[in-house]
Amino acid sequence: EAGVAQSPRYKIIEKRQSVAFWCNPISGHATLYWYQQILGQGPKLLIQFQNNGVVDDSQLPKDRFSAERLKGVDSTLKIQPAKLEDSAVYLCASSLVVLGGETQYFGPGTRLLVL
Amino acid sequence: DQQVKQNSPSLSVQEGRISILNCDYTNSMFDYFLWYKKYPAEGPTFLISISSIKDKNEDGRFTVFLNKSAKHLSLHIVPSQPGDSAVYFCAASEPGGSQGNLIFGKGTKLSVKP
């Protein structure tokens, strides 16, 4: 079974530029998550989708971050414009359903450096 | 305010000995706890979990203990192997509407020396 795929693996941009990340979850997983992991911290949830609907985006900085999962499968996360403090690893995860206690499977992440 | 705390940033143990990684939480409503292992340049990998209705769960060399009264859980690895060297994250499942939302600790870097 293929795991969670993410691209690109690395991205370097200058502040105020835009960037987009892509995620393809494990086949059949209805729930998709985007996390931000700053160096030295644990992952922090940005947004959670159930199929193509948003379940939780309370921690997403909506003035600059956006995410979509139009067909309920793959997803994109966009930052526009980027700030220095957005430098982090962006992790995508998926799970079968969202019931609580459902194991989340993570992709390798996209490492973003904003200069 | 951190709801999940891993107070030891690093831990070093000898191969073959026991590794004990600790995690404390503040939210008594958390009902599910997980441990993830992370190698450099990879995403976190699920290791083991425990529901709040249990106090112990074992899977091979890995055992997780939960002490609800102390709001404390620990991961025991025995015997430790050099391949266990990684960063270990404790996570708790947030109750309420976003039941899939995991709250992570900052991680503990385990080094197992041959």
Side-chain angles (χ1 to χ4, degrees):
Chain A
E1 179 184 81
V4 177
Q6 289 188 248
S7 67
R9 291 297 309 275
Y10 303 93
K11 191 74 178 178
I12 301 174
I13 62 173
E14 295 187 348
K15 60 183 179 183
R16 289 188 289 274
Q17 285 187 323
S18 302
V19 65
F21 313 128
W22 175 81
C23 172
N24 194 27
I26 293 173
S27 178
H29 280 196
T31 310
L32 184 148
Y33 313 80
W34 282 102
Y35 286 85
Q36 179 192 58
Q37 185 178 12
I38 292 172
L39 188 64
Q41 305 286 324
K44 184 187 82 171
L45 182 73
L46 292 175
I47 189 167
Q48 176 184 334
F49 292 93
Q50 173 80 358
N51 297 310
N52 61 350
V54 175
V55 175
D56 182 1
D57 64 357
S58 58
Q59 298 188 84
L60 187 73
K62 298 181 189 61
D63 57 335
R64 298 183 301 105
F65 286 65
S66 64
E68 59 184 15
R69 192 185 184 199
L70 293 176
K71 296 182 179 179
V73 181
D74 57 347
S75 174
T76 56
L77 175 70
K78 296 179 182 178
I79 308 175
Q80 181 181 5
K83 291 186 176 181
L84 296 177
E85 58 261 35
D86 298 332
S87 295
V89 176
Y90 290 85
L91 294 162
C92 179
S94 69
S95 62
L96 274 172
V97 291
V98 56
L99 293 175
E102 188 71 23
T103 299
Q104 296 181 22
Y105 297 89
F106 285 82
T110 295
R111 187 175 297 274
L112 173 67
L113 179 59
V114 182
L115 302 176
Chain B
D1 182 37
Q2 262 197 299
Q3 296 188 69
V4 177
K5 299 177 183 179
Q6 294 177 256
N7 292 319
S8 298
S10 62
L11 174 68
S12 182
V13 299
Q14 206 66 33
E15 180 179 7
R17 305 295 290 268
I18 185 171
S19 296
I20 300 176
L21 296 98
N22 293 305
C23 178
D24 298 294
Y25 60 95
T26 57
N27 189 340
S28 57
M29 295 297 288
F30 283 148
D31 59 359
Y32 199 72
F33 304 89
L34 306 90
W35 284 94
Y36 282 83
K37 179 169 74 172
K38 187 179 182 305
Y39 293 118
E42 294 183 12
T45 302
F46 170 72
L47 193 58
I48 193 170
S49 62
I50 188 167
S51 165
S52 60
I53 62 173
K54 295 186 175 181
D55 55 17
K56 177 183 174 181
N57 188 27
E58 191 172 353
D59 183 3
R61 297 185 297 113
F62 303 91
T63 303
V64 56
F65 296 92
L66 176 62
N67 183 335
K68 289 187 290 295
S69 61
K71 297 193 184 69
H72 177 84
L73 65 156
S74 60
L75 174 68
H76 292 210
I77 307 173
V78 57
S80 302
Q81 299 174 353
D84 296 330
S85 297
V87 177
Y88 289 78
F89 290 97
C90 170
S93 179
E94 190 175 53
S98 297
Q99 289 182 316
N101 185 4
L102 293 180
I103 310 296
F104 283 85
K106 290 186 177 183
T108 296
K109 184 176 182 180
L110 173 66
S111 299
V112 180
K113 301 188 183 306

